[in-house]
């Protein structure tokens, strides 16, 4: 470990990887010791990049900072757009927000629509793994019950992930969590109105019960830049008996290529910070995570 900076290095790796997703753009290299803004680095020369899809001006994207009609209210609710960070106040330099986690080697917005925080919500739907008789299955080494969660395979990068997505302007996080799960894991957008009603009924049961907020804040994401970054609220909804999810058929939709129940353990390789969120769920639910830590 590199002293007090160890955790920081660990939480700011994907945001420094090249090439930038969906492009051939290479970031300027940022060594671990130069990540923090408090470290002076006069020769820092980040690459400027904002994707064409963002510059085209879709409704989910801000204009360029240089546009005279655009005067965003950073660090506050700006009309329907939430520009507050879950991590507190962020600095503004030359009119641009500054990534609170440090340098990334790239300025502009990359693939992200908003300057500053881009808010997402990640619903972690879990159940206990059971045998054919309906009994919970215990892991032979740790002796703990095995928890499963609904995972999707992302179309953009092919990695397995939690079926989350961006919070629409003015939308409550709870609504985003339910909407994204329906769209990506149940293919709700392609269903008839009768099927949609049935899905909505079951989801209401699942999403109206007690839940655990697992994480709120900055996410180490390969799309992050010096001026735009991902933040999320990861929330666990647990189907204790498994009966609610038995009434719903998993079917990939929207941004998802595949969807399935996945056993939770430290062997999971997941997108962005998702494995960390899943580990926190396992700890909170006292479920199996690792063979090593139990055996040590």
């Amino acid at each position: 470990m590199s002293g007090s900076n160890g955790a920081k290095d660990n939480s700011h790796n994907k945001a420094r990887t090249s090439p930038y997703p969906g492009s051939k753009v290479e970031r300027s290299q940022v060594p671990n010791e130069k990540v923090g803004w408090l470290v002076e680095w006069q020769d820092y020369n980040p690459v400027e990049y904002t994707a064409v899809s963002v510059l085209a001006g879709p409704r989910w994207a801000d204009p360029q900072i240089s546009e005279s009609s655009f005067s965003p209210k950073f660090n506050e609710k700006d009309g329907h757009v939430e520009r507050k960070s879950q991590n507190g106040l962020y600095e503004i330099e030359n009119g641009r927000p500054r990534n609170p986690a440090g340098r990334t080697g790239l300025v502009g917005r990359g693939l992200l629509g908003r300057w500053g925080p881009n808010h997402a919500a990640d619903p972690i739907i879990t159940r206990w793994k059971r045998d054919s008789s309906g009994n919970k299955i215990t892991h032979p080494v740790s002796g703990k019950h095995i928890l499963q969660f609904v995972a999707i395979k992302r179309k953009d990068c092919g990695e397995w992930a939690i079926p989350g997505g961006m919070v629409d302007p003015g939308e409550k996080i709870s609504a985003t969590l339910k909407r994204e799960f329906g769209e990506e894991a149940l293919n709700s957008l392609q269903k008839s109105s009768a099927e949609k009603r049935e899905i909505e009924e079951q989801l209401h049961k699942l999403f109206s019960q007690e839940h655990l907020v697992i994480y709120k804040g900055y996410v180490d994401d390969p799309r992050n830049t010096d001026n735009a970054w991902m933040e999320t609220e990861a929330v666990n909804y647990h189907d204790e008996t498994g009966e609610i999810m038995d009434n719903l058929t998993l079917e990939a939709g929207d941004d998802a290529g595949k969807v399935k129940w996945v056993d939770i353990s430290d062997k999971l390789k997941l997108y962005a910070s998702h494995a960390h969120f899943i580990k926190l769920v396992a700890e909170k639910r006292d479920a199996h995570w690792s063979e090593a830590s139990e055996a040590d």
Side-chain angles (χ1 to χ4, degrees), residues 212 222 252:
L212 292 173

Side-chain angles (χ1 to χ4, degrees), residues 81-87 90 114 116-121 165-168 173 176 217 229-233:
V81 179
E82 183 56 85
R83 298 194 191 277
K84 281 200 295 246
S85 166
Q86 309 251 29
N87 293 64
Y90 49 89
R114 305 287 174 202
N118 288 256
H119 294 284
M166 305 307 292
V167 181
D168 287 341
I173 294 266
T176 310
W229 59 90
M230 288 298 302
E231 296 192 7
T232 199
E233 188 163 324

Side-chain angles (χ1 to χ4, degrees), residues 128-129 136-147 264 282-290 293-294:
W128 297 109
K129 188 176 189 178
K136 290 184 194 174
I137 295 175
T138 302
H139 190 275
V141 177
S142 69
K144 292 186 171 183
H145 292 132
I146 296 172
L147 201 60
I264 290 178
E283 287 170 358
K284 297 246 190 203
R285 299 277 175 203
D286 196 27
H288 168 71
W289 174 251
S290 166
S293 61
E294 311 296 337

Side-chain angles (χ1 to χ4, degrees), residues 15 20 32 57-58 71 78 81 101 139 145 147 158 162-163 165-166 171 196 208 221 231 236 242 258 263 268 284 289:
Y20 186 88
N32 286 345
S71 49
D78 184 7
V81 179
H139 190 275
H145 292 132
L147 201 60
I162 297 161
M166 305 307 292
E171 187 177 41
K196 274 185 184 151
S208 57
D221 188 289
E231 296 192 7
N236 176 217
K258 291 180 181 170
D263 293 0
L268 288 175
K284 297 246 190 203
W289 174 251

Side-chain angles (χ1 to χ4, degrees), residues 1 41 48 81 85 122 203 208 241 243 272 278-279 285 294:
M1 289 291 282
W41 187 9
E48 171 99 33
V81 179
S85 166
D122 289 313
L203 285 184
S208 57
T241 62
E243 286 168 15
I278 295 297
K279 181 185 183 188
R285 299 277 175 203
E294 311 296 337

Side-chain angles (χ1 to χ4, degrees), residues 90-110:
Y90 49 89
E91 302 276 333
I92 311 297
E93 199 171 80
N94 301 324
R96 293 180 172 201
R98 203 167 73 170
N99 187 323
R103 298 180 175 100
T104 67
L106 192 139
V107 292
R109 284 175 289 162

